[in-house]
Amino acid sequence: RCQSTSTDEKRNKSRNVLDNASNLLTNFLSGGSIGSMPVAEGAVSDLFGKPLFFSLYDWFIQHGSVYKLAFGPKAFVVVSDPIVARYILRENAFSYDKGVLADILEPIMGKGLIPADLETWKQRRRVIAPGFHTLYLEAMVRMFANCSERSISKLEKLLEAKHSQGEHEIELDLEAEFSNLALDIIGLGVFNYDFGSVTKESPVIKAVYGTLFEAEHRSTFYIPYWKFPLARWLVPRQRKFANDLKVINDCLDGLIKNAKDTRQETDVEKLQQRDYKNLKDASLLRFLVDMRGVDVDDRQLRDDLMTMLIAGHETTAAVLTWAVFLLAQHPDKMKKAQAEIDAVISEDGITLESLKKLEYVRLIISESLRLYPQPPLLIRRSLKSDVLPGGYNGDKDGYQIPSGTDIFISIYNLHRSPYYWENPNEFEPERFLVQRDNNNIEGWAGFDPSRSPGALYPNEVVSDFAFLPFGGGPRRCVGDQFALMESTIALAMILQKFDVELKGSPESVELVTGATIHTKNGLLCKLKNRSRVHEGVEFR
Ligand code: HEM
């Protein structure tokens, strides 16, 4: 009898386990056990023809801020709610990893911060983040200005040549110019290497663009074809990719060797107090190599540098591209920015102090990141089953998700959500100056600039995760201040010299996405020297 009881118990127990598992599965497939998650049925055609994040927006308006997107057997949960985003990114961050994104990026970035496993990430984040200290950023301000100056003199020369033919404007693809500028800046800032791409072409530059192209292709392709064992030898593009990677890796290996050969070991505090004004090499690589007690192997260091090269290049180029795209459609706002720039930047050039006074230009950068976030989607995969909190426009009870659930947090949807923004699709840099209480939204703290005193740019803290251009929580961007200062300086210096117009209509500028949102055929613009009449224009 005793035995039969325990057999019954065991049977019941295992039946419960099975029931629970099958409930979880059925609930997930049918829409969540706590409340019922709406389902959007994606057609394969939705993946082509237009960027996926446009369709995700339409379904967000239709199905609410947490829904399941089913593509045949594959399903994703799409999140467009600040409370749920805050939970996944910050409150329960370590129950999620980068999922599909890590699969795509690992062959390029190895164990760099973005795809790294948790253990490696913890070690390297602790070492890399202190490298972006104040004196480093101050030294970078000068470098940003010097590099922008190089781009400007190139454009001035092109204009001069036109003047001699009696014409006063040039036509060019500004997206390509911004891409070169951002590449030069990231090379110098991260490993003190001057790509010089504003003025020349080189095998290393070609290899960087080739690698970015492949990373982009992979992030829009849904079968990991590069994992097939013979792909590297059979598919010509894969061979080219392998060669491009080798060119960059050889270049980085050389720089690492050089930095290690000239290593001057010291501790973090002393490194952060170095005389950055007079340093020949103020790069992050120098900091990482010289840090006492961190004997990192060359492979890890190379993965770190490669990650920052890729993470910091196209993202910043894209911010500048969309800022100009938006300003060109709002000449009044371009003039307002130019009036501020004229009042703030002296003939001696831009400094950290002047950057602090360029409030309107800074807000333009933030507003461009709101409308065109880079990347538009954050990708996560749950490491265990979890219960997502209820969102504003979803079921208030929240949803249970099984382990292994793939999640897209749509920054694009959050940044254009009609529930959190007035005129969400309009370009209004001034919006960040106004506090919004939104007391009616349970669980969301609203928008309050005073929540982040001293911050030069609005961030996810101010908006309680309704505005998160650099993500949030422990995996937040390490290069945010670098990127924001770089784009503010480059934009201010260009607007100081030139008036910009789009060559065609705004509608003719088609969007494409991989990791970032960029144009299909470049940002074709007309550029001319500025006419400096701005009397009566206020910029506050
Ligand atoms: C992470 C955006 C520039 C290095 C991220 C994330 C976002 C982001 C949204 C979070 C990704 C996630 O949670 O999945 C941007 C934007 C930039 C920019 C919009 C330019 C405007 C830079 C620069 C660097 C950089 C200049 C380096 C110099 C990184 C790294 C991570 C990261 C290393 C991974 C952090 C971690 O997982 O610990 N970035 N980024 N980014 N970014 Fe940036």
Side-chain angles (χ1 to χ4, degrees), residues 89 98 101 113-114 121 125 132 186 190 307-308 311-312 315-316 319 369 374-375 378-380 411 468-471 474-480 482-483 486-487:
L89 295 176
K98 299 273 175 105
L101 188 73
L113 280 185
I114 293 184
W121 173 81
R125 175 93 190 189
F132 290 90
I186 201 77
V190 175
T307 302
M308 282 185 274
T315 41
T316 318
V319 180
L369 273 165
Q374 316 293 345
L378 297 184
I379 298 176
R380 292 292 188 273
I411 309 194
L468 56 166
F470 294 97
R475 306 297 295 256
R476 188 182 194 287
C477 181
V478 270
D480 63 331
F482 182 102
E486 166 187 0
S487 19

Side-chain angles (χ1 to χ4, degrees), residues 394-409:
D395 191 310
K396 283 275 172 269
D397 293 332
Y399 301 104
Q400 182 136 22
I401 53 162
S403 167
T405 303
D406 284 310
I407 300 177
F408 289 157
I409 298 173

Side-chain angles (χ1 to χ4, degrees), residues 318-372:
V319 180
L320 288 168
T321 302
W322 296 114
V324 166
F325 174 74
L326 291 162
L327 283 171
Q329 292 169 72
H330 295 86
D332 54 326
K333 296 190 197 287
M334 188 178 308
K335 288 206 161 56
K336 193 167 157 179
Q338 286 169 328
E340 180 184 77
I341 293 161
D342 290 349
V344 167
I345 305 186
S346 70
E347 285 303 311
D348 308 336
I350 208 157
T351 59
L352 188 60
E353 281 318 300
S354 44
L355 187 86
K356 288 182 187 159
K357 292 185 196 141
L358 287 173
E359 183 182 51
Y360 195 60
V361 184
R362 292 203 311 270
L363 294 181
I364 288 172
I365 295 296
S366 295
E367 180 70 344
S368 307
L369 273 165
R370 186 184 68 81
L371 288 167
Y372 297 94

